[in-house]
Amino acid sequence: MGVRKTIKEINVKIQQGKAVVVTAEELIPLAAAEGAEEAARQVDVVTTGTFGPMCSSGAFFNLGHTTPRMRFSRVYLNGVNAYTGIAAVDVFLGATEIPETDPANKNFPGEFNYGGAHVIEDLLGGKEVYLEATSYGTDCYPRKKVESWITLDDINEAYLFNPRNCYQNYNVAVNLSNKAIYTYMGILKGDLGNANYCSAGQLSPLLKDPYFKTVGIGTRVFLGGGTGYVAWHGTQHNPCVQHSDLGAPRTPAGTLALIGDLKQMEARWIRGISYLGYGVSMQVGVGVPIPILDAEVLAWAALRDEDLTAPIVDYSEGYPQGIPGNLGEVSYADLKSGEIEIQGKRVPTASLSSYPRAREIAETLKGWILAGDFLLTEPVQPLPGADSGIKSKPLKIKGK
Amino acid sequence: MMQKKIVLFFPSTVVEQPFIYHLIKDYRWMVNLLKAAINPRKEGRMVLEVTCTEEDYQRGVEYLQSSGVSITHLEQEIVWVEERCTQCGACAVICPTKALAVERPSMRITFDDSKCIVCEHCLKACPARAVEARF
């Protein structure tokens, strides 16, 4: 009879200070030495982490009512437009929003030095942000204009709601054309000048739970330095892709929609960033605990960079034109070595996801669990899995 | 022997003269060209690293100045602001001299300013804007 544990039993151990918690990196040599069954007996929780650009992020704010009252219909925070098509003083600030005055790519490649993600980082850094709001005025909300300086403390509710984070695996981006291109995967030099990837590999949350056996809706996670939750499966969640013999998805697959109290977070883990010629994005720190329920869960959590592969995709034509296929697959171990071979050429690699920060998140989450401050949660509902039949549909362009 | 990084400005009237040839041959300058923008009949700019004796350096400078080339010391420097760096690798793959590099296996970014040629490619390649040019 193999090892079987429940989340409830693991939580009792955490509360008693008896749980054995290791990071996904620390698990690898342990699993190799002891075997999955014995390692599963010894280890209760494995912590993962990732810190990378996650464009599909943003924050909801309730900015508080003015006197007389006002129904915000246009809101700018440090010049960045926030969405107001919800209740009176509720707004959503998207991470990638840029000021209307930003020249964007009119002077190509645009610099995109400031946007929604930077506003969120500034608020987390305790800075005052300039608020401008206008309205059309109603009987119940007569005020039409307000300007003020606000801090995170002045805002009522402030929570991050990220529709798509934590991609389970991602493309390695290269450029087959003969001139540099500017993408959300960074600057790609022509003629296979570099290969940029974006995953923490052996520390990446969803690569270590490839069939979503433990993570689900309601799972408590490390989000931006505070506590967050899995709200739903993320947009473009695509769980029915091919998996390797060891279980890992070979292409971008699952995603998570995450929610968490911004007031608990830290600017260190939520960063506004700028991609030349592309736009603004947000680096988000996420850590997901994996309860070791059995040897199978452990074996997945122990997958190494050598076992995990990513597809190499051309971003000069293949990606923008939606041409299926790739230029081969490469392991995260090779990607991390600094050089890979593509079409017979040695190509230097760069990660857009920060491995040192991913490691720090996994360590921090481990510390929280060991201290008894962070209990694991039973998923309220599982995420759609490999048997869900979900298929990402392209947009059909129709005329009437 | 001394080593200096300097910037030469060529007015359009002299831009087609072979200054580098004379600096190497007649003044024994060991020249490492870091950056050059030279176009026929237009003003030119060149950033170079010179290694030579103090005496040869002075002679070379006099030669350049008497020919209408102006010289300034390269005082711009690239500063890596470690606390703003989020330790991805976007800069390292763009840096032509490996001044910005990834240390393995820690995957942490390091900066060796002695290798930096102030090409400024990193300024815009860094998503977190953790690299700055200072004058």
Side-chain angles (χ1 to χ4, degrees):
Chain A
M1 174 81 183
V3 180
R4 288 278 180 277
K5 292 182 219 176
T6 65
I7 291 175
K8 217 178 193 172
E9 288 163 0
I10 294 172
N11 274 338
V12 170
K13 281 182 150 183
I14 293 172
Q15 284 167 314
Q16 291 171 340
K18 291 180 184 164
V20 176
V21 186
V22 297
T23 69
E25 241 183 3
E26 292 165 338
L27 177 68
I28 290 168
L30 182 80
E34 305 285 341
E37 196 63 47
E38 179 51 31
R41 210 178 304 280
Q42 292 177 17
V43 175
D44 299 306
V45 186
V46 171
T47 59
T48 61
T50 184
F51 185 73
M54 304 194 195
C55 290
S56 203
S57 298
F60 280 101
F61 300 123
N62 177 282
L63 297 172
H65 286 278
T66 55
T67 311
R69 287 180 192 267
M70 180 173 166
R71 193 225 159 278
F72 294 165
S73 48
R74 277 248 160 220
V75 165
Y76 297 93
L77 293 165
N78 278 355
V80 181
N81 184 226
Y83 180 74
T84 57
I86 38 180
V89 293
D90 285 350
V91 301
F92 180 77
L93 179 64
T96 67
E97 189 73 39
I98 55 169
E100 286 157 13
T101 51
D102 190 299
N105 264 344
K106 281 178 195 136
N107 302 323
F108 190 77
E111 293 188 11
F112 303 98
N113 288 312
Y114 197 84
H118 297 92
V119 176
I120 295 170
E121 182 188 337
D122 281 347
L123 285 167
L124 284 171
K127 293 186 185 161
E128 281 191 317
V129 164
Y130 181 51
L131 163 72
E132 296 166 271
T134 54
S135 176
Y136 44 82
T138 72
D139 287 342
C140 44
Y141 293 103
R143 188 168 180 144
K144 290 186 177 169
K145 196 171 188 303
V146 71
E147 288 174 41
S148 185
W149 289 91
I150 58 169
T151 65
L152 191 55
D153 289 340
D154 298 327
I155 298 173
N156 291 314
E157 289 77 18
Y159 53 91
L160 215 59
F161 185 86
N162 301 347
R164 187 192 331 141
N165 283 177
C166 273
Y167 238 119
Q168 188 183 32
N169 211 353
Y170 211 74
N171 297 335
V172 179
V174 297
N175 176 7
L176 289 179
S177 81
N178 58 10
K179 62 178 179 49
I181 58 171
Y182 301 90
T183 74
Y184 70 85
M185 292 296 286
I187 302 169
L188 301 174
K189 295 189 274 189
D191 300 319
L192 291 171
N194 56 312
N196 287 7
Y197 66 101
C198 192
S199 170
Q202 63 192 10
L203 271 173
S204 180
L206 295 186
L207 278 176
K208 308 316 296 275
D209 183 10
Y211 292 102
F212 319 118
K213 293 289 181 193
T214 68
V215 65
I217 294 166
T219 296
R220 183 179 290 136
V221 300
F222 171 111
L223 178 60
T227 307
Y229 296 88
V230 175
W232 202 248
H233 60 276
T235 53
Q236 290 180 204
H237 182 73
N238 191 21
C240 303
V241 302
Q242 255 195 348
H243 286 239
S244 71
D245 293 343
L246 294 169
R250 294 167 58 185
T251 53
T255 66
L256 298 177
L258 298 176
I259 190 165
D261 182 7
L262 196 66
K263 296 195 179 194
Q264 291 180 27
M265 298 183 195
E266 295 166 40
R268 178 170 174 74
W269 301 114
I270 297 289
R271 288 287 300 274
I273 50 172
S274 309
Y275 283 107
L276 189 67
Y278 174 72
V280 166
S281 187
M282 190 155 90
Q283 277 176 325
V284 182
V286 183
V288 179
I290 300 175
I292 299 302
L293 305 178
D294 56 37
E296 190 179 41
V297 169
L298 184 126
W300 285 319
L303 290 174
R304 307 161 303 160
D305 281 334
E306 289 83 344
D307 307 323
L308 303 165
T309 62
I312 302 164
V313 175
D314 169 41
Y315 273 62
S316 68
E317 198 181 359
Y319 184 86
Q321 300 304 328
I323 301 164
N326 59 52
L327 305 169
E329 288 177 12
V330 64
S331 78
Y332 282 98
D334 287 342
L335 286 165
K336 278 185 195 158
S337 75
E339 212 179 52
I340 57 172
E341 193 171 308
I342 308 170
Q343 297 183 340
K345 186 177 174 186
R346 302 301 298 171
V347 181
T349 60
S351 178
L352 301 177
S353 178
S354 170
Y355 196 75
R357 289 288 184 95
R359 183 185 285 136
E360 200 180 327
I361 289 169
E363 286 288 350
T364 304
L365 182 55
K366 173 181 150 183
W368 289 356
I369 298 169
L370 286 172
D373 297 334
F374 187 106
L375 291 179
L376 309 189
T377 46
E378 296 273 0
V380 178
Q381 185 178 302
L383 299 176
D387 56 354
S388 65
I390 288 182
K391 235 181 153 180
S392 242
K393 291 186 287 287
L395 175 69
K396 282 184 195 147
I397 304 172
K398 298 181 210 165
K400 274 202 173 172
Chain B
M1 294 292 256
M2 48 138 278
Q3 198 174 54
K4 263 194 173 106
K5 282 181 188 169
I6 57 173
V7 187
L8 307 182
F9 294 94
F10 304 90
S12 55
T13 48
V14 302
V15 82
E16 290 178 33
Q17 293 180 34
F19 289 108
I20 298 298
Y21 168 81
H22 287 296
L23 288 170
I24 294 169
K25 187 166 174 286
D26 304 336
Y27 300 95
R28 291 178 288 185
W29 281 25
M30 277 194 278
V31 168
N32 184 17
L33 272 181
L34 304 179
K35 203 172 181 179
I38 307 285
N39 292 296
R41 293 178 296 281
K42 285 186 182 159
E43 283 182 348
R45 193 174 81 121
M46 193 180 277
V47 182
L48 45 90
E49 191 175 61
V50 190
T51 309
C52 60
T53 64
E54 190 69 43
E55 191 192 336
D56 285 339
Y57 179 73
Q58 287 309 331
R59 288 173 54 233
V61 166
E62 280 161 27
Y63 156 68
L64 287 168
Q65 284 171 338
S66 65
S67 310
V69 178
S70 61
I71 302 161
T72 56
H73 292 286
L74 184 66
E75 283 168 6
Q76 184 182 343
E77 57 169 354
I78 296 295
V79 178
W80 173 53
V81 187
E82 191 172 356
E83 59 275 16
R84 274 203 68 75
C85 174
T86 58
Q87 307 286 341
C88 75
C91 60
V93 83
I94 294 296
C95 178
T97 60
K98 295 190 166 55
L100 282 158
V102 177
E103 186 183 83
R104 293 182 162 80
S106 73
M107 301 303 284
R108 295 188 68 81
I109 300 297
T110 57
F111 178 58
D112 178 351
D113 61 358
S114 70
K115 291 184 183 168
C116 177
I117 57 165
V118 199
C119 71
E120 301 185 0
H121 289 346
C122 52
L123 298 186
K124 290 169 185 171
C126 171
R129 299 287 187 261
V131 200
E132 292 174 4
R134 291 189 190 159
F135 296 89

